[in-house]
Amino acid sequence: MNNSVSNTARLLWAALRALLVLTLVTGVIYPLAVTGVAQALFNNKANGSEIKADGKVVGSSLIGQQGYSLDYFQGRPANGLGTNSVNTQYKLILSGATNLAADSKVLVKQVEDAKAAVVKNNSTADYKVKPSQVPADAVTSSGSGLDPDISPAYAELQVHRVAERNHLSVGQVEKLVKEHTDSRTLGFIGEPTVNVLELNIALKSLVTKS
């Protein structure tokens, strides 16, 4: 009986020591080590890829924003978020796509309305946008509904409107787009993209200086 109690106590003490050691290693040392490496080598990414303007954090390069006036570049539609009453405009409570099938009448109507709006909003006195020029990302939301980027084609489509409304030359705005176009990852993965928030910050800075 005494041996049984003694063995049980020894096993419990061994288990407790293992628990304490593992808790220290996996719950304290490892998280601190990973956090330290991340802060030292990948500080910006580790802190949410924050974008600052005028010394203030105005967003993240990973998350899109809406609500820009037509003086600025527009991001992708957020139709996927609009189907949920909790999150209609990039409020980050949740993310998601429309989940509508390609032959959905609702989706077709959304795309048609979006294309008509893009053509109307981006046509200026000296530049008329044709429906065939409107790229897919201008009229469809992303899988998450929070895509921060647009294609160079969609950015270029907006150049004339942005230039006219901000009293800038088309060349100045085109230069901004080129400067903020990111090429394919490693030169062959994905497609070139333009981060809308970063582009609009640069645009605001240019307008202020003009």
Side-chain angles (χ1 to χ4, degrees):
M1 182 70 176
N2 289 334
N3 287 337
S4 176
V5 172
S6 177
N7 288 336
T8 300
R10 188 167 61 253
L11 290 174
L12 288 174
W13 174 236
L16 178 60
R17 283 183 295 174
L19 175 63
L20 292 174
V21 171
L22 289 173
T23 298
L24 180 64
V25 172
T26 62
V28 179
I29 297 176
Y30 178 73
L32 287 176
V34 171
T35 300
V37 170
Q39 290 295 328
L41 302 180
F42 311 101
N43 183 267
N44 182 54
K45 292 182 179 180
N47 290 299
S49 299
E50 297 174 338
I51 296 178
K52 295 182 179 180
D54 300 324
K56 299 178 181 178
V57 175
V58 295
S60 168
S61 63
L62 304 176
I63 300 173
Q65 297 184 8
Q66 282 206 329
Y68 296 115
S69 73
L70 289 177
D71 291 350
Y72 293 92
F73 287 90
Q74 306 296 301
R76 296 185 66 172
N79 294 336
L81 306 181
T83 59
N84 189 299
S85 60
V86 176
N87 189 9
T88 57
Q89 294 294 324
Y90 287 85
K91 292 182 180 178
L92 309 186
I93 297 174
L94 52 81
S95 66
T98 62
N99 292 327
L100 297 174
D103 61 351
S104 166
K105 292 182 179 179
V106 175
L107 179 61
V108 171
K109 181 68 164 55
Q110 287 179 352
V111 170
E112 289 176 345
D113 290 346
K115 180 175 286 190
V118 169
V119 170
K120 177 183 177 182
N121 291 337
N122 292 284
S123 292
T124 63
D126 59 350
Y127 180 74
K128 301 300 180 183
V129 176
K130 299 177 182 178
S132 60
Q133 292 177 271
V134 180
D137 61 305
V139 296
T140 57
S141 60
S142 64
S144 67
L146 301 173
D147 194 346
D149 303 317
I150 57 176
S151 65
Y154 187 26
E156 290 165 6
L157 185 71
Q158 302 182 59
V159 164
H160 287 264
R161 184 249 304 158
V162 171
E164 181 181 79
R165 295 180 71 97
N166 289 285
H167 308 292
L168 299 170
S169 70
V170 170
Q172 286 177 297
V173 182
E174 285 180 335
K175 182 181 178 184
L176 276 184
V177 172
K178 290 180 180 178
E179 291 174 346
H180 290 82
T181 297
D182 296 320
S183 58
R184 293 177 174 87
T185 303
L186 300 179
F188 66 95
I189 300 175
E191 296 294 332
T193 57
V194 180
N195 187 281
V196 180
L197 177 56
E198 292 177 348
L199 179 58
N200 281 334
I201 290 173
L203 172 64
K204 183 178 180 180
S205 178
L206 179 62
V207 172
T208 301
K209 293 177 181 178
S210 299

